[in-house]
Amino acid sequence: MDGARAGAVAKIAAVKTVTRFAPSPNGHLHLGHAYSAILAHDLALADGGEFLLRIEDIDGPRSRPEFAEEFRRDLEWLGLEWTEVPAQSTRIGSYHAAADRLIAAGMLYPCTCTRKDIESLGARRGADGLIYPGTCKGRLLKPGEPAALRLDVDKAMAALGELVWTDEVTGASVADPREFGDVVIVRKDLPASYHLAATIDDAADGVTLVTRGADLFAATHIHRILQELLELPVPHWHHHELLLDNDGRKLAKRRGSPALSQRREAGENGLALAEQLRLQQMQSGT
Ligand code: GLU
Ligand code: ZN
């Protein structure tokens, strides 16, 4: 992006709502994704803002371009229009730069523990798996050593003090990383974690309102801390309720929720489906 365009985008971001839908191309989209995308689209369009599509494909081996292509057709079928921003795989340099900055600030430490090691320490279960008990805290990074990099959350919180963030549905929250603990910020096998990449990209894309499912509510505490450490602008969030399947369980690719692409290819009317989801949104209020 050249300087003039960057300036123009910044100006829009200051006054208009910019939302995004950020799917990972490692499987088909299902109804829950449609709900999320429509909500993000409608919230942006409601005040003449912009709805972005960002393909979150840093997980190289699991990401497949044919899924990204399928996502575009699915969104079109639902009647949505969007601006696509560069996929995460093209932004690796910005993740490295941010990680370097966090390392220089002493906020990350290397960890070579396996899942088994962590299990054997009797770690408590948190929002996203076991909470790391901090065995490697204080270790220094040896050049070339394959290690994950973890955030020293106690150190970060001590340096930053109280951080508040605002969800349009639930109101203000104080950032509380306890459900994650010393979360992995740079994976051993990848240039970033979801947390780091999504936080950096939302800022780079001028997103003013991060919309996503309530299953990622706890992750926002970590994102808020990363924003502060990296001096990024702080958006608002809108975590929406999750659609449930007939058994009352969260819809999930792995439990075989019907893919949008399957419904599309079977000739279902996508616009009618979108209207049905909008009604559901009005009823739930989120
Ligand atoms: N790539 C993430 C996912 O598909 C996006 C989460 C987010 O919206 O922040 O779950
Ligand atoms: Zn460790």
Side-chain angles (χ1 to χ4, degrees):
M1 200 185 291
D2 63 33
R5 170 138 162 76
V9 169
K11 217 179 271 165
I12 292 167
V15 291
K16 300 282 187 196
T17 299
V18 179
T19 62
R20 90 302 195 267
F21 177 56
S24 304
N26 55 22
H28 303 289
L29 298 183
H30 58 65
L31 209 52
H33 293 108
Y35 188 92
S36 216
I38 292 168
L39 178 69
H41 170 272
D42 292 1
L43 285 171
L45 277 269
D47 75 352
E50 201 174 7
F51 169 58
L52 309 178
L53 171 66
R54 182 174 71 231
I55 302 295
E56 300 215 320
D57 60 348
I58 38 167
D59 198 345
R62 294 180 62 218
S63 297
R64 303 223 313 257
E66 54 279 25
F67 280 125
E69 197 37 51
E70 182 180 286
F71 297 172
R72 295 179 194 106
R73 288 201 298 271
D74 291 341
L75 296 182
E76 226 168 65
W77 174 66
L78 292 168
L80 305 184
E81 282 180 33
W82 65 91
T83 301
E84 185 163 350
V85 293
Q88 288 193 325
S89 55
T90 67
R91 309 187 190 203
I92 305 297
S94 68
Y95 309 146
H96 284 310
D100 286 346
R101 185 164 165 188
L102 295 173
I103 292 167
M107 292 296 169
L108 302 185
Y109 64 85
C111 170
T112 47
C113 298
T114 61
R115 185 186 297 263
K116 249 208 188 119
D117 294 335
I118 298 172
E119 272 167 11
S120 71
L121 292 165
R124 182 169 76 83
R125 188 158 288 283
D128 187 30
L130 296 174
I131 297 180
Y132 182 64
T135 326
C136 295
K137 199 195 277 279
R139 274 187 49 189
L140 293 178
L141 187 60
K142 290 187 217 129
E145 181 189 29
L149 299 178
R150 291 184 179 275
L151 178 65
D152 187 335
V153 290
D154 289 338
K155 193 168 179 182
M157 293 316 286
L160 301 174
E162 185 175 282
L163 300 176
V164 176
W165 58 273
T166 305
D167 180 287
E168 292 191 337
V169 181
T170 56
S173 290
V174 173
D176 176 1
R178 273 175 300 185
E179 279 308 301
F180 277 92
D182 285 357
V183 62
V184 170
I185 295 299
V186 180
R187 285 174 45 173
K188 189 166 80 179
D189 51 335
L190 300 177
S193 64
Y194 153 67
H195 302 297
L196 183 65
T199 300
I200 292 173
D201 292 350
D202 283 338
D205 295 339
V207 173
T208 64
L209 178 63
V210 175
T211 61
R212 59 187 173 210
D215 53 339
L216 287 165
F217 188 92
T220 302
H221 292 299
I222 297 298
H223 301 180
R224 181 69 189 85
I225 294 168
L226 289 174
Q227 283 159 359
E228 205 66 16
L229 290 172
L230 295 167
E231 297 178 283
L232 299 174
V234 182
H236 278 197
W237 284 265
H238 182 121
H239 293 93
H240 61 78
E241 68 160 10
L242 299 175
L243 295 192
L244 302 178
D245 65 16
N246 294 335
D247 312 330
R249 292 186 310 175
K250 192 182 132 186
L251 293 174
K253 290 174 202 169
R254 63 178 180 284
R255 277 199 292 272
S257 300
L260 295 182
S261 56
Q262 214 176 322
R263 300 175 68 153
R264 171 166 56 77
E265 281 157 17
E268 189 176 333
N269 184 333
L271 298 180
L273 176 62
E275 282 318 302
Q276 198 183 313
L277 290 171
R278 286 188 169 103
L279 273 178
Q280 218 167 315
Q281 255 153 28
M282 271 165 56
Q283 280 156 7
S284 89
T286 74

